[in-house]
Amino acid sequence: NLQPGINILRWTIKYNNCPDSSYDDVEINAGAIPTAIISGDRDICIGNSAQLLIEFTGEAPWNYTYTDGNSVFGPFATSNPITFISVTPSSSTSYALVSVVSDNCSGDVSGLATITVSTAPPTNQTASLNGLPLYGCVGASATISCTPVNRATGYEWDAPFGCYFDANTSNVAPYTTTAATTQITFGQPNGSGFLICVKPVNGCGSAIQRCVWIRGLTSVPAAVTGPVVACENTTASYSTGVTGGATGYTWSGTNGISILSGNGTQNVTASFAPGFTQ
């Protein structure tokens, strides 16, 4: 049950109740059990290097070894609790820690860092963008996807400020997924709508970006046309032009005006009740 740090063990010899009993001490410095975690998934182009991150706990210095699945490298020594190592694999490789030692104590290792190596950019074809609604309402979500592109290791999604992806407000554009699908949640429109884009990528570059614009707000309504003079106990027809992005038209009247028919369309019949003045 030694605790990390200085531990003192005392051996005492007593003779009856004599006050001058004899004792001796031994001091043991117990090191904390170290841990090491490796991370750093990356996409690179062949011939390039990648940095792997190792985070240590316990007492410095640390001695560690790691493997690429075929060979074990090390031991290496470091006094930095956050240490980077550079690797240049010729093909996609996963790296893991094998061991960590600190103060003569063997510790626990965990984590995995996968380096995906590409030899050329994705095929230069435009990915279709599917699943977007015709209209983007604030707070609404939609699952969108694109056609997979040859050699792409990821898909970079773009959307206006305020939008986010995969139900996480931290996932803002540009946001990259390994699968050719994501969920978008709409924020306030940029102008009257949203420009949503996707671009296939890998460590060597990207393919053509595909963008789709969807409406978020309607345009300013067109002018209302019809008689500007009406008598009580009569009806009259009124209409408006096409409004960009509108799916329906809601009409109302004041001072005794009621809509007889056509509400929801561009053309209505209005009734002027008895006593109508203006």
Side-chain angles (χ1 to χ4, degrees), residues 219-270:
S219 301
V220 176
V224 174
T225 59
V228 296
V229 176
C231 299
E232 59 181 326
N233 292 314
T234 64
T235 61
S237 297
Y238 294 87
S239 63
T240 183
V242 175
T243 300
T247 57
Y249 300 81
T250 301
W251 296 77
S252 63
T254 60
N255 298 323
I257 302 173
S258 60
I259 306 301
L260 289 182
S261 63
N263 209 352
T265 70
Q266 292 173 245
N267 305 282
V268 296
T269 299

Side-chain angles (χ1 to χ4, degrees), residues 180-247:
T181 184
T182 186
Q183 181 194 66
I184 184 171
T185 301
F186 297 100
Q188 290 290 340
N190 183 3
S192 61
F194 306 88
L195 187 65
I196 312 299
C197 302
V198 63
K199 179 169 59 178
V201 296
N202 67 18
C204 294
S206 62
I208 298 173
Q209 186 180 54
R210 167 68 170 168
C211 294
V212 173
W213 189 87
I214 66 170
R215 184 171 288 277
L217 298 174
T218 60
S219 301
V220 176
V224 174
T225 59
V228 296
V229 176
C231 299
E232 59 181 326
N233 292 314
T234 64
T235 61
S237 297
Y238 294 87
S239 63
T240 183
V242 175
T243 300
T247 57

Side-chain angles (χ1 to χ4, degrees), residues 9-20:
L9 302 185
R10 173 168 292 182
W11 172 283
T12 302
I13 298 176
K14 291 187 176 181
Y15 180 73
N16 291 333
N17 294 319
C18 297
D20 54 350

Side-chain angles (χ1 to χ4, degrees), residues 1 5 22 41 48 50 125 195 205 207 235 260:
N1 296 321
S22 177
D41 291 356
N48 292 339
Q125 66 189 64
L195 187 65
T235 61
L260 289 182

Side-chain angles (χ1 to χ4, degrees), residues 1-10 25-32:
N1 296 321
L2 295 180
Q3 300 301 310
I6 302 299
N7 296 260
I8 297 177
L9 302 185
R10 173 168 292 182
D25 291 341
V26 61
E27 186 177 281
I28 298 177
N29 187 4

Side-chain angles (χ1 to χ4, degrees), residues 105-124:
C105 297
S106 296
D108 300 319
V109 296
S110 60
L112 192 69
T114 299
I115 307 302
T116 302
V117 180
S118 298
T119 58
T123 303
N124 205 12

Side-chain angles (χ1 to χ4, degrees), residues 2-255:
L2 295 180
Q3 300 301 310
I6 302 299
N7 296 260
I8 297 177
L9 302 185
R10 173 168 292 182
W11 172 283
T12 302
I13 298 176
K14 291 187 176 181
Y15 180 73
N16 291 333
N17 294 319
C18 297
D20 54 350
S21 300
S22 177
Y23 65 87
D24 189 31
D25 291 341
V26 61
E27 186 177 281
I28 298 177
N29 187 4
I33 300 298
T35 66
I37 302 175
I38 191 171
S39 60
D41 291 356
R42 295 287 187 277
D43 287 351
I44 64 172
C45 199
I46 189 166
N48 292 339
S49 299
Q51 298 292 311
L52 309 182
L53 170 65
I54 306 177
E55 299 173 270
F56 298 96
T57 66
E59 296 293 329
W62 296 272
N63 289 278
Y64 65 95
T65 59
Y66 69 93
T67 180
D68 61 0
N70 295 312
S71 304
V72 175
F73 305 95
F76 303 101
T78 181
S79 295
N80 193 336
I82 298 179
T83 296
F84 292 92
I85 56 176
S86 180
V87 295
T88 310
S90 58
S91 60
S92 297
T93 303
S94 292
Y95 295 87
L97 291 167
V98 176
S99 66
V100 61
V101 177
S102 171
D103 272 352
N104 294 318
C105 297
S106 296
D108 300 319
V109 296
S110 60
L112 192 69
T114 299
I115 307 302
T116 302
V117 180
S118 298
T119 58
T123 303
N124 205 12
Q125 66 189 64
T126 303
S128 64
L129 189 49
N130 310 306
L132 280 169
L134 294 176
Y135 307 95
C137 299
V138 177
S141 298
T143 298
I144 58 177
S145 63
C146 68
T147 51
V149 172
N150 187 35
R151 293 197 299 268
T153 59
Y155 297 85
E156 184 179 287
W157 306 87
D158 193 28
F161 177 79
C163 300
Y164 57 91
F165 298 93
D166 288 336
N168 188 334
T169 54
S170 297
N171 295 338
V172 297
Y175 174 65
T176 303
T177 61
T178 54
T181 184
T182 186
Q183 181 194 66
I184 184 171
T185 301
F186 297 100
Q188 290 290 340
N190 183 3
S192 61
F194 306 88
L195 187 65
I196 312 299
C197 302
V198 63
K199 179 169 59 178
V201 296
N202 67 18
C204 294
S206 62
I208 298 173
Q209 186 180 54
R210 167 68 170 168
C211 294
V212 173
W213 189 87
I214 66 170
R215 184 171 288 277
L217 298 174
T218 60
S219 301
V220 176
V224 174
T225 59
V228 296
V229 176
C231 299
E232 59 181 326
N233 292 314
T234 64
T235 61
S237 297
Y238 294 87
S239 63
T240 183
V242 175
T243 300
T247 57
Y249 300 81
T250 301
W251 296 77
S252 63
T254 60
N255 298 323

